[in-house]
Amino acid sequence: MTTSRLALPAAATLVRLTGFALPLLFIAMWSSGYVVGKLAVPYAGPFTLLAIRFGLASLVLLAVALAARAPWPASRRQLGHLVVVGLLIQALQFSGLYTALKLGVSAGESALIVGTMPVLTALGAALMFGERLGAKQWLGMAGGVAGVVLVVWHKLGTGSADPGAYVAAVVALAGITLGTLYQKKFCAGMDLRSGGFVQLAVATLVALPLSLYLEGFDVRWTPQMVFASGWLAVVNSIGATSLLFLMMRKGEASKVASLFYLIPGVTALMAFVLLGETLTAMALAGFLATAGAVYLCTRAR
């Protein structure tokens, strides 16, 4: 009896630590993709990089799923739901984002557009799942958007894009928002190994033809390119996305989505440390604002 009583607090502490560590790990992994992606861009076109990223990640997950004898979708309907999520979160989001960047939308403008995702997800979660946000959570949403503006302010207006390019950025926003909601509703119980393979294989089938047609699948295999390809495939496409799905399974869609407010700020910090990019006082203020916003959005109502 004494052992059981001692084990209960230890188990509760482990649950709390896991609940705290998963969001931090997700933010670090997702943010790293933007920094590592900059290392690869000089050596491959955006769609070629996506095709390599998705293709390599799908092969890794296929091997893991087969080795672990993971369960596969039991019906065509389940398979269809996985295909939709793969098209939205992987193919549509990143194809739209990379197209916007290629057509002249600045990184700051792209981050600001995609940074409104938590607000749209909260609205969608209220309609689809009956999730309700209190006044503090709505205040956090507004503060999150304001914080993102501060983080990317010095990059706004540096692009040279026409309206069509911004449409591509909005397409990326639609992909991550709709994909997150669709995943929560229809694929919450999927196996992360076999389900992840299906989604990434679908994304590969979208990115590969685009890379062949638009870029001729031109790659220079430098050590930086090899490292970036492996990192983007394993850490971002598998690790970060799996953590996103796992947190969606455990919590409310609006709370999980609010973590995306921190992505631009953490990316700016990583770029400052690893790439030597400028980090302004306004960006730091924006990072603090987004941290406070996430606290308000995720605290118990």
Side-chain angles (χ1 to χ4, degrees):
M1 180 67 69
T2 303
T3 302
S4 299
R5 288 178 178 176
L6 290 174
L8 288 176
T13 301
L14 179 61
V15 170
R16 286 196 297 269
L17 288 175
T18 302
F20 180 72
L22 283 183
L24 292 181
L25 184 59
F26 164 75
I27 292 166
M29 293 172 74
W30 194 283
S31 300
S32 71
Y34 294 95
V35 177
V36 175
K38 285 192 174 183
L39 298 177
V41 167
Y43 308 108
F47 290 106
T48 300
L49 184 59
L50 283 179
I52 295 171
R53 168 180 173 170
F54 294 150
L56 179 58
S58 64
L59 291 176
V60 171
L61 279 181
L62 176 61
V64 171
L66 293 176
R69 296 182 179 180
W72 292 85
S75 65
R76 291 183 179 180
R77 175 172 293 185
Q78 290 181 3
L79 180 62
H81 288 321
L82 292 173
V83 169
V84 171
V85 174
L87 289 172
L88 291 173
I89 289 185
Q90 300 287 2
L92 191 63
Q93 178 197 181
F94 288 105
S95 294
L97 179 61
Y98 279 39
T99 299
L101 293 172
K102 183 178 181 180
L103 293 178
V105 178
S106 71
E109 291 167 335
S110 299
L112 181 57
I113 292 172
V114 179
T116 60
M117 173 264 196
V119 177
L120 298 180
T121 302
L123 294 174
L127 295 174
M128 295 176 63
F129 313 128
E131 295 183 10
R132 293 292 182 266
L133 277 72
K136 290 182 179 179
Q137 281 69 42
W138 283 115
L139 179 61
M141 291 287 179
V145 174
V148 171
V149 171
L150 291 176
V151 170
V152 304
W153 182 262
H154 66 291
K155 296 182 179 180
L156 296 180
T158 59
S160 56
D162 57 30
Y166 291 98
V167 171
V170 173
V171 167
L173 170 62
I176 182 62
T177 302
L178 295 175
T180 300
L181 294 171
Y182 196 96
Q183 163 73 24
K184 175 72 173 179
K185 185 172 180 63
F186 296 108
C187 302
M190 78 167 194
D191 186 272
L192 293 177
R193 298 157 296 183
S194 58
F197 162 73
V198 172
Q199 294 177 8
L200 287 165
V202 169
T204 303
L205 293 176
V206 174
L208 184 57
L210 290 173
S211 69
L212 290 170
Y213 178 73
L214 297 175
E215 301 162 358
F217 203 79
D218 184 24
V219 185
R220 285 192 292 154
W221 288 108
T222 65
Q224 280 187 323
M225 180 62 189
V226 173
F227 165 78
S229 299
W231 185 279
L232 292 172
V234 176
V235 176
N236 291 103
S237 288
I238 296 177
T241 304
S242 296
L243 285 180
L244 174 63
F245 292 161
L246 184 61
M247 291 188 296
M248 290 292 294
R249 184 181 300 174
K250 293 176 175 292
E252 296 180 1
S254 57
K255 288 185 177 182
V256 175
S258 68
L259 297 174
F260 279 80
Y261 284 138
L262 286 170
I263 301 298
V266 174
T267 301
L269 290 174
M270 287 183 174
F272 171 72
V273 174
L274 300 176
L275 302 179
E277 293 189 0
T278 302
L279 185 64
T280 65
M282 187 175 291
L284 287 173
F287 177 71
L288 294 176
T290 54
V294 171
Y295 172 75
L296 288 176
C297 291
T298 56
R299 65 180 302 180
R301 292 191 291 275

